[in-house]
Amino acid sequence: NGKDYADGIDIDANKYYKNIKIDDDVRTSATPPGIIMDILEKASKKYDHVIVYPLSKELSSQFNNISMMAKEHKNVTVIDSKGVGYMIIENIQHAKEEIEKGDVKAVVEKINNLSSSQLGVAIPETMDWLVKGGRASSSAASMANLLKIVPLILFKDGKLDKYGKGRVFKKAVIKTADQVKDEFKGDREWIIYNAGNKDIKEHHKNIEEALGTKVKVYWMPPIIGNHTGPGAIGIVSALKK
């Protein structure tokens, strides 16, 4: 409708996935420079040191924009999260001890280590949205949908890449959970990103059984869901603190 929405302020993920349609012309964009400048100016005056931890620089110009403007403030540090959504919040929570001590160097080191360990796989329900975004041809998508082939998208180092494919969405979700448990090494914690999937309770149960542990469910950030489409599921992990 030609209107701008601030994610998490004017519209939330629940409302987004309920209303988005394949024919809608929805585009994501970074925070306007004027708003960034205003926030940095106020925060740099209020606090001894400010650490900004935006979504992955591979998914948005947000990191580069903030980094450029932060040069005007000696007490502002910008860190590439290499993540998106709740992954970012989890890392901040794990650095709580260093934050409370006020040790900027330790906070930056801790958060950088946590950011580098993040891995995930997104599983779209159909390829229609990948076609819309130019990531797949319509002919390939038609064949894949006919044969119930499900593309698997890897999230690593803050970037989206091909991971493989499965057959039938429900089976693909279970297969992916089995695969990532073996391939993503180390003592990890797991979360599920849900793009409004109507059968999320069933998928949640199946994923927990495959991983052998309890897993929290959060909304898939619209910046990812805009590419995968509604109904997609993401299985994401990071090394425990």
Side-chain angles (χ1 to χ4, degrees), residues 66-213:
I66 296 173
S67 296
M68 183 175 64
M69 296 177 203
K71 293 177 181 178
E72 302 296 321
H73 308 281
K74 293 182 179 180
N75 64 335
V76 176
T77 301
V78 188
I79 305 173
D80 178 17
S81 69
K82 298 181 181 178
V84 63
Y86 203 82
M87 298 163 73
I88 296 173
I89 298 173
E90 286 268 304
N91 288 346
I92 293 172
Q93 291 175 341
H94 288 332
K96 184 179 178 181
E97 184 178 332
E98 288 80 2
I99 292 171
E100 289 177 344
K101 288 179 180 177
D103 188 338
V104 176
K105 184 178 179 181
V107 171
V108 173
E109 183 178 350
K110 180 67 173 281
I111 288 180
N112 274 328
N113 288 336
L114 290 167
S115 298
S116 298
S117 75
Q118 296 169 146
L119 292 164
V121 177
I123 311 155
E125 261 195 325
T126 76
M127 290 185 65
D128 296 341
W129 290 77
L130 299 179
V131 173
K132 181 180 178 181
R135 289 171 174 79
S137 68
S138 56
S139 57
S142 297
M143 184 62 69
N145 289 337
L146 180 65
L147 299 176
K148 297 185 178 181
I149 294 174
V150 181
L152 308 177
I153 304 168
L154 178 67
F155 184 82
K156 182 179 180 181
D157 295 327
K159 296 181 285 190
L160 298 174
D161 204 352
K162 293 179 181 178
Y163 182 66
K165 58 186 177 182
R167 289 287 304 276
V168 184
F169 185 77
K170 178 180 175 180
K171 293 180 180 178
V173 171
I174 297 172
K175 174 189 173 183
T176 300
D178 285 331
Q179 270 186 253
V180 296
K181 181 181 179 182
D182 294 333
E183 292 181 13
F184 296 179
K185 304 298 182 184
D187 186 17
R188 293 183 166 272
E189 55 189 354
W190 302 85
I191 64 174
I192 295 169
Y193 276 159
N194 169 35
N197 189 286
K198 64 183 185 302
D199 299 315
I200 187 59
K201 289 184 178 180
E202 180 182 3
H203 295 306
H204 184 196
K205 177 176 176 289
N206 291 339
I207 291 170
E208 285 191 331
E209 289 178 354
L211 295 176
T213 187

Side-chain angles (χ1 to χ4, degrees), residues 220-237:
M220 181 177 287
I223 192 171
I224 299 293
N226 199 43
H227 300 299
T228 62
I233 284 177
I235 304 175
V236 182
S237 78

